[in-house]
Amino acid sequence: MVSIPYLDKADLAPLADAAASWAALPAKYEALQREFEQRVINHLKGHWDGDAADAAFVTMGKARTEYENAATEAERIGKLLQDAHGEFAASQKQLHALLDEARDDHYKVSDDGRVEDVDPRWDSPTASASPGFAEERKKKLDSLVSRLTRVLEVATAADEAASSALERDANGDSESFNTSVYTTLDAVEADQAAALMNKKGRLSDAEITKLNLLLSANKNDPEFSRDFAVKTGGENMLSKYNELMSPPAGTTLSKAQLAQLKELKANLGTTIGTATTSDDHRKGGPDPEITKFQNDLLKAGQRDFNANPTESPYGLSGYQLTSSLMSEGKWDKDFLQDYGDALITADKNAADAGQNPDAYWGYPRTLGTTNIGALDPMAGYMDALGHNPEASTEFFGSETTVNGEKVDHYDYLMKDRHWPEGAGYTGDPKNPNGYNNLGHALESAVTGHSYDSSPSADTPAHNQDQAALMQKLVQDVSDDGELAHDGMQDSLGRMTAEYMPDVYRGLRPDGESEEDFLPLGNSVSANFSERDITRFMYTVGQDPDGYAAISYGQTQYSAELMNYHLSHPDAYGLSDKETIYEISETGAQVDGILSLGRQDSAVQESAEGDKVFNDRLASAGDWGKSITSIGIGVGTAAITSPVGGAVAGEVAGNVSGQLIDMVVSDLERDSSDDALYASGADLESSKSAVQAQLRNAATISVAENSSGLNQAEIDTAVNNGAEAGNGYANDKSRSYAQKRG
């Protein structure tokens, strides 16, 4: 591995000079060729005949070819050296930036790559004990280590590739010039990685380490990924992956070896995903080689791959292997549609024949001794959709024809399919339920961003298909609360938080006509009925993760909406006091419905119920702060600022970010009597907590916008609005949700 001191101090000027010198050689060889032709060949033509002349002219023709080959080789070596210089210079620049960042943020980076936190605040018991300090410092340290490792990996792969390319003698015993010299490091590294995947027999630990290095350094590079996939081949790639993850029975792997294989799964999945998208912007349409690679993966779906046939007659299917890799990276939208159609067809055919997914994808199939992967291919496929919002929205809005019957994708997965239980089926011991993966796909489909990333001011506005799917989901859960399956409530909560403007509209009797009060910008409205959104939030609020996400969504939206209207007093025409009242009323409705759901949940009724809910609220604080960048809703950047998203992104979250910090700080305190937000054991304390949140939001907004309201007027508006909102929440919950059969 290239070291930090080496990359930090490396003088790259000689390499740049060498690249320039080699790049200048072709012109010199071409000049020599012309001079040779003029002074020798042309001079002798017409003056020399006979057998000796014929033989000499053949030899001189070969010499002319050698000049051409010499120019070609020099040109290619020049390009290779130039590419190597670009790679090393980019890595060095990134390293310098990271080292500067570390110094500025009081982290010490040792020559061996160790990072130590030397922040002077650790010497102060008061500063180091502040809420979230240790967690924040640890998170920054981990991020630095990860990024430093990545830079060194890329530099190491480039260094080894350059060395291999320059030492390579493609001509063998021939003394001629070599015209097949590599021109890019990507090509070298793709050949090296493909050679390892194409090698017969199991790879050694050193070879797995080398393959991991190559894939990790290049997994997001379209050129490398494309060449690697094409040279490896679809079926062969699945076969080698299966072999690597399924060593022979009796093989004992160390923790380090298992970690290497888990890393390989992630790197290979991301690389193949990148390969499938490598021709997305290709002139002339799809790349035929990538199309063939994708078709090979589809054809391999129902084929079994058995790494150890002498030990068991059963192996994993191509669907299981491909879906295992799909959980990583971003895969091509069109391929995901074709793959999903094929997977649902296989799944539905098996179910129609009496084999539920447990049996069809499960025993006697096993994951092998490494236990890496997932038996249920639908789990990995759902995560693949979760990483591609465009694909997931399209998928849940379409259907597949199976034996002449139209199968609606959403209905089949949400309502009809039996999802297997157990970590072996999902590949995730922390989430042994495929509904968690289904939640990821739905979250991506309705929000327009990957499930494991947060919305931003740049997130596209909700479109018609996204809003329609969210509306259908809310209505379905309203009609049948059991559809809010265990494992997906965290996703349902986050989805709801991002549709908070639509939620507010649904709870207000004239909400749909309040475009100026509850603006959606360019987003299409999801028209929730009062009954449906009440039932939905009451149901999702019974889960601690769902409760936490919607609670932060309400906190963020109420705070930013107050700030928006106080800074745009003509947007709706209410006085500042009336604005605070109206927003407090609807915010308290959301919180009140959630609180009633929380109080009626089985979790809350347990001995540790209150602690579980509050722990989830505290742990979700970072996510809560992440959504503050969307201001008063996705697609509203043009509303919040006359000059668009740049300014909007700077001011959005100023109020709600402070407010969420207050909530998290209070939750992280011990359970003393004055820990207001941490008190959720009864409805009265929940009412007090939401009033405190709304009061703080209003106070900050008034100060931000130099409103003339005094604190007494703020308190009165908030308390009266919240009191009314809590009353509405109680009435609606009891009328719509608690009496539901």
Side-chain angles (χ1 to χ4, degrees):
M1 182 79 76
V2 170
S3 68
I4 288 177
Y6 183 84
L7 183 58
D8 181 27
K9 304 298 183 184
D11 181 5
L12 301 179
L15 180 57
D17 292 341
S21 297
W22 278 96
L25 276 178
K28 295 180 180 179
Y29 280 123
E30 290 166 2
L32 287 172
Q33 179 188 345
R34 288 193 301 270
E35 185 175 359
F36 176 71
E37 289 180 349
Q38 292 168 1
R39 292 193 175 189
V40 180
I41 298 177
N42 293 341
H43 183 71
L44 291 174
K45 280 182 179 179
H47 300 286
W48 189 19
D49 293 314
D51 292 342
D54 291 341
F57 280 122
V58 169
T59 300
M60 284 185 283
K62 291 180 179 178
R64 178 168 49 195
T65 300
E66 286 297 291
Y67 277 121
E68 293 173 351
N69 290 346
T72 299
E73 180 172 355
E75 179 184 21
R76 296 178 73 87
I77 290 176
K79 289 181 178 178
L80 178 69
L81 293 176
Q82 186 178 31
D83 188 51
H85 179 269
E87 290 267 6
F88 296 141
S91 293
Q92 188 179 64
K93 182 178 179 181
Q94 292 170 10
L95 176 64
H96 289 165
L98 286 173
L99 293 177
D100 288 343
E101 177 185 334
R103 282 189 290 269
D104 292 345
D105 213 1
H106 302 293
Y107 290 99
K108 179 183 178 182
V109 179
S110 300
D111 288 350
D112 60 2
R114 289 182 299 109
V115 182
E116 182 183 357
D117 188 352
V118 292
D119 193 313
R121 286 177 291 178
W122 286 112
D123 296 331
S124 166
T126 302
S128 61
S130 64
F133 175 76
E135 184 179 354
E136 178 187 356
R137 296 298 296 173
K138 177 66 163 55
K139 187 176 295 184
K140 287 185 176 181
L141 186 147
D142 290 344
S143 174
L144 272 170
V145 170
S146 175
R147 287 179 289 157
L148 282 167
T149 301
R150 169 76 179 162
V151 168
L152 295 178
E153 283 181 346
V154 171
T156 300
D159 185 47
E160 294 179 357
S163 175
S164 174
L166 293 171
E167 292 173 356
R168 173 176 176 262
D169 183 10
N171 284 2
D173 293 333
S174 172
E175 295 180 359
S176 300
F177 286 98
N178 176 14
T179 59
S180 61
V181 173
Y182 287 108
T183 60
T184 68
L185 297 185
D186 277 344
V188 184
E189 293 166 340
D191 274 359
Q192 291 176 333
L196 290 169
M197 289 295 287
N198 291 327
K199 179 186 175 183
K200 291 185 178 180
R202 289 194 60 80
L203 300 182
S204 66
D205 288 349
E207 288 171 325
I208 292 174
T209 299
K210 174 68 173 179
L211 180 58
N212 247 336
L213 175 66
L214 290 166
L215 296 180
S216 178
N218 296 282
K219 60 188 175 184
N220 296 309
D221 184 325
E223 181 182 344
F224 167 90
S225 299
R226 183 260 181 208
D227 289 350
F228 167 74
V230 169
K231 290 172 181 176
T232 302
E235 272 201 41
N236 183 64
M237 185 270 295
L238 293 179
S239 180
K240 178 59 73 172
Y241 170 63
N242 183 48
E243 179 184 282
L244 290 168
M245 300 301 156
S246 305
T251 303
T252 301
L253 297 177
S254 66
K255 289 184 179 180
Q257 289 173 314
L258 276 173
Q260 277 278 6
L261 290 177
K262 288 178 181 179
E263 184 183 351
L264 181 62
K265 169 186 176 294
N267 289 332
L268 183 59
T270 302
T271 302
I272 298 303
T274 302
T276 65
T277 63
S278 63
D279 61 351
D280 281 0
H281 304 291
R282 181 176 180 267
K283 291 182 179 179
D287 181 345
E289 296 279 13
I290 288 298
T291 299
K292 181 183 182 301
F293 177 81
Q294 294 173 345
N295 288 337
D296 288 346
L297 288 181
L298 288 172
K299 290 175 185 175
Q302 295 195 57
R303 184 201 143 181
D304 280 348
F305 291 79
N306 196 339
N308 303 298
T310 59
E311 298 163 12
S312 170
Y314 304 99
L316 296 176
S317 76
Y319 286 130
Q320 290 172 306
L321 294 170
T322 303
S323 289
S324 171
L325 292 170
M326 267 186 180
S327 63
E328 309 289 344
K330 183 176 181 179
W331 291 55
D332 177 69
K333 177 178 77 70
D334 294 331
F335 176 69
L336 288 177
Q337 301 306 309
D338 294 338
Y339 185 85
D341 286 344
L343 183 56
I344 281 188
T345 298
D347 202 75
K348 182 74 164 54
N349 277 332
D352 290 345
Q355 278 191 298
N356 272 338
D358 314 59
Y360 187 64
W361 302 114
Y363 184 81
R365 302 178 192 272
T366 63
L367 293 176
T369 56
T370 63
N371 207 34
I372 295 173
L375 289 174
D376 184 2
M378 205 65 77
Y381 176 60
M382 288 296 102
D383 275 355
L385 290 179
H387 289 129
N388 191 325
E390 188 179 358
S392 56
T393 305
E394 181 178 321
F395 181 78
F396 284 114
S398 57
E399 58 190 14
T400 300
T401 299
V402 182
N403 294 326
E405 174 192 356
K406 291 189 180 299
V407 179
D408 180 273
H409 295 159
Y410 167 85
D411 285 341
Y412 179 70
L413 296 172
M414 188 73 175
K415 302 174 183 178
D416 302 332
R417 185 180 195 255
H418 171 75
W419 289 77
E421 292 276 348
Y425 285 102
T426 64
D428 183 1
K430 295 180 180 178
N431 292 292
N433 184 321
Y435 285 120
N436 182 63
N437 308 93
L438 174 59
H440 295 165
L442 288 168
E443 187 174 352
S444 163
V446 303
T447 64
H449 62 82
S450 174
Y451 77 89
D452 50 4
S453 65
S454 298
S456 71
D458 296 325
T459 301
H462 298 151
N463 60 38
Q464 183 64 55
D465 293 336
Q466 293 167 341
L469 179 60
M470 184 65 185
Q471 187 174 319
K472 178 176 174 58
L473 182 62
V474 168
Q475 185 174 347
D476 285 345
V477 172
S478 168
D479 292 340
D480 181 3
E482 295 297 319
L483 292 179
H485 303 285
D486 287 342
M488 66 188 300
Q489 291 98 332
D490 57 339
S491 288
L492 293 176
R494 290 190 293 268
M495 292 150 63
T496 309
E498 293 190 41
Y499 276 80
M500 199 53 65
D502 309 78
V503 171
Y504 272 48
R505 287 184 172 210
L507 290 175
R508 294 174 67 87
D510 54 352
E512 290 184 22
S513 63
E514 293 183 321
E515 295 183 6
D516 293 331
F517 187 58
L518 304 169
L520 288 173
N522 297 321
S523 284
V524 176
S525 174
N527 295 318
F528 306 135
S529 72
E530 186 178 73
R531 184 200 72 160
D532 287 346
I533 195 58
T534 299
R535 285 182 171 182
F536 180 85
M537 290 196 297
Y538 175 85
T539 300
V540 177
Q542 294 184 45
D543 176 83
D545 289 313
Y547 173 91
I550 300 177
S551 178
Y552 279 128
Q554 179 278 127
T555 299
Q556 181 273 337
Y557 185 62
S558 293
E560 295 302 336
L561 193 60
M562 284 185 187
N563 193 38
Y564 165 71
H565 279 294
L566 292 183
S567 62
H568 298 79
D570 297 329
Y572 192 63
L574 291 179
S575 68
D576 289 354
K577 190 172 183 179
E578 290 171 323
T579 294
I580 292 171
Y581 174 93
E582 293 291 334
I583 296 172
S584 297
E585 178 192 289
T586 313
Q589 278 194 65
V590 174
D591 186 85
I593 294 167
L594 288 176
S595 296
L596 285 164
R598 170 176 171 169
Q599 298 309 310
D600 292 344
S601 72
V603 176
Q604 183 65 66
E605 292 172 1
S606 67
E608 294 292 311
D610 208 42
K611 183 178 186 303
V612 171
F613 272 93
N614 291 326
D615 284 349
R616 300 295 173 84
L617 263 175
S619 62
D622 284 343
W623 176 83
K625 286 192 68 175
S626 75
I627 64 172
T628 61
S629 62
I630 65 175
I632 57 171
V634 169
T636 60
I639 292 175
T640 54
S641 169
V643 294
V647 175
E650 292 175 6
V651 299
N654 188 29
V655 177
S656 57
Q658 294 179 60
L659 187 57
I660 291 172
D661 275 340
M662 292 178 185
V663 176
V664 173
S665 296
D666 193 78
L667 287 165
E668 290 178 344
R669 292 160 57 191
D670 58 32
S671 55
S672 57
D673 292 337
D674 62 343
L676 179 63
Y677 299 132
S679 303
D682 58 66
L683 292 177
E684 286 304 316
S685 57
S686 294
K687 290 178 183 178
S688 298
V690 75
Q691 283 186 352
Q693 292 174 24
L694 292 166
R695 187 162 53 249
N696 286 334
T699 300
I700 297 171
S701 296
V702 165
E704 288 272 333
N705 296 286
S706 302
S707 171
L709 294 181
N710 59 41
Q711 192 61 52
E713 291 172 316
I714 294 172
D715 294 348
T716 299
V718 168
N719 293 341
N720 290 344
E723 191 63 36
N726 278 310
Y728 291 136
N730 186 67
D731 293 343
K732 291 174 183 179
S733 296
R734 299 195 185 286
S735 175
Y736 296 135
Q738 294 176 322
K739 293 181 180 179
R740 178 170 54 179

